[in-house]
Amino acid sequence: MKTANFYEKEPKFTTSHSGKGIVRDVVLFNENDFQTNLRFFRYMVLPSGSSIGFHKHGDNEEIYVILDGNGIMKVNDDEIEVKPGDVIVNQPLTATVW
C-alpha cells in the first residue's frame, strides 16, 4: 500500500501552464506509483488572483475537487462557476483553463 500526506510533502511554488501568479503544487504520486494507467495525483493551491493556464491533456482524465474559494473554470468552450464541494471531471482531450 502506498500512502502520502499532502501536508508533509515538499511543495513546489511555480506557475502552472503559464497561468497568472504562483501556485503551490504538491505531487503526491506519479506514474511509477500506480499499477494502472493513472499518471499522477497532485494537490494544488491557487491563491486569489492566480490561475492555471490553458492546457490540454492527451488520453488522460483530470479530476478537480474544489475545497475552498470560488472561481471560473473553462472546459473547451464552456465556462463553469466553481465553489467549495464541486468535483469536475475533465474527459481525455479536453482543453482547460482556470
Side-chain angles (χ1 to χ4, degrees), residues 1-3 6 12-13 18 22-23 29 36 58 62 66 79 81 87-88 91 97-98:
M1 174 181 359
K2 295 195 182 261
T3 63
F6 61 80
K12 180 172 62 169
F13 295 92
S18 299
I22 301 296
V23 300
F29 299 103
T36 65
E62 282 186 313
I66 311 304
E79 284 193 359
E81 290 187 33
V87 178
I88 302 97
Q91 301 300 320
V97 67
W98 277 87

Side-chain angles (χ1 to χ4, degrees), residues 4-17:
N5 184 304
F6 61 80
Y7 291 120
E8 296 172 357
K9 286 276 194 167
E10 187 68 31
K12 180 172 62 169
F13 295 92
T14 186
T15 60
S16 180
H17 299 286

Side-chain angles (χ1 to χ4, degrees), residues 13 31 41 47 63 72 86 88:
F13 295 92
E31 62 190 323
F41 188 92
I63 299 174
I72 300 211
D86 286 346
I88 302 97

